[in-house]
Amino acid sequence: MSDAGAGRKNPGLIEERIGYTFNDRALLTRALTRLAYTLEAGLPPETHMDALATLGDAVINVVVVEAVVAGGAHDKGAITNRKMNLVNMTRLRGLAEDLDLADYVRWGKGEAAQRVWTSGRVLAECLEALVGAVYLDGGMAAAAGVLRRLGLTEKG
């Protein structure tokens, strides 16, 4: 991962990495833009990733539960346990790290100076935002395909 982590790479490269090309490139840009960056740049509030991260979290849960059920699980407890094993901040952060996602995100100056992507759930939220953007752009099948290609689900 780069030291800067300030969106230095071409966002189009992330499309290659996830195997999905956006119809609406503004959604991709929004998914890669942190709130701190928008505040510093004086951008409108609807241009940062937070809402997309919330949406992406829900989409990831639906896709994973659907895949677990399709895989033969029928017991509510077993489904919940399998989902919890597949979807957690550590796992999502690892997938984001595998994509070098921090290199594509537009970070606020303080975030970049502190390298906030190196700890906690920050990168997991960035991945959730990316999935939320894919969902809005291409629907559930597109989001499920991205998650499958990233290795989060075996099927879906």
Side-chain angles (χ1 to χ4, degrees), residues 116-151:
V116 297
W117 58 89
T118 62
S119 65
R121 60 175 281 123
V122 174
L123 270 183
E125 290 172 351
C126 293
L127 183 68
E128 289 168 346
L130 186 59
V131 171
V134 169
Y135 169 77
L136 286 179
D137 192 67
M140 191 61 83
V146 166
L147 292 170
R148 185 178 57 250
R149 285 186 291 280
L150 293 178

Side-chain angles (χ1 to χ4, degrees), residues 19-152:
Y20 180 79
T21 302
F22 281 83
N23 296 305
D24 181 356
R25 294 298 298 258
L27 282 169
L28 175 58
T29 300
R30 181 178 176 193
L32 299 173
T33 303
R34 298 279 294 170
L35 174 60
Y37 181 93
T38 63
L39 294 173
E40 291 170 7
L43 297 173
E46 68 275 6
T47 59
H48 66 83
M49 69 171 57
D50 289 4
L52 293 177
T54 301
L55 177 61
D57 177 54
V59 169
I60 290 167
N61 283 318
V62 169
V63 167
V64 169
V65 168
E66 192 174 74
V68 169
V69 171
H74 302 291
D75 175 71
K76 182 178 179 180
I79 293 167
T80 300
N81 286 337
R82 183 75 179 123
K83 181 185 80 74
M84 287 172 40
N85 288 334
L86 287 169
V87 182
N88 58 60
M89 287 307 113
T90 302
R91 183 89 190 274
L92 295 178
R93 181 177 167 197
L95 294 174
E97 288 172 346
D98 290 347
L99 289 171
D100 296 321
L101 193 55
D103 292 340
Y104 299 92
V105 173
R106 297 192 300 175
W107 303 99
K109 291 178 185 134
E111 290 177 320
Q114 294 174 13
R115 298 175 45 92
V116 297
W117 58 89
T118 62
S119 65
R121 60 175 281 123
V122 174
L123 270 183
E125 290 172 351
C126 293
L127 183 68
E128 289 168 346
L130 186 59
V131 171
V134 169
Y135 169 77
L136 286 179
D137 192 67
M140 191 61 83
V146 166
L147 292 170
R148 185 178 57 250
R149 285 186 291 280
L150 293 178
L152 190 63

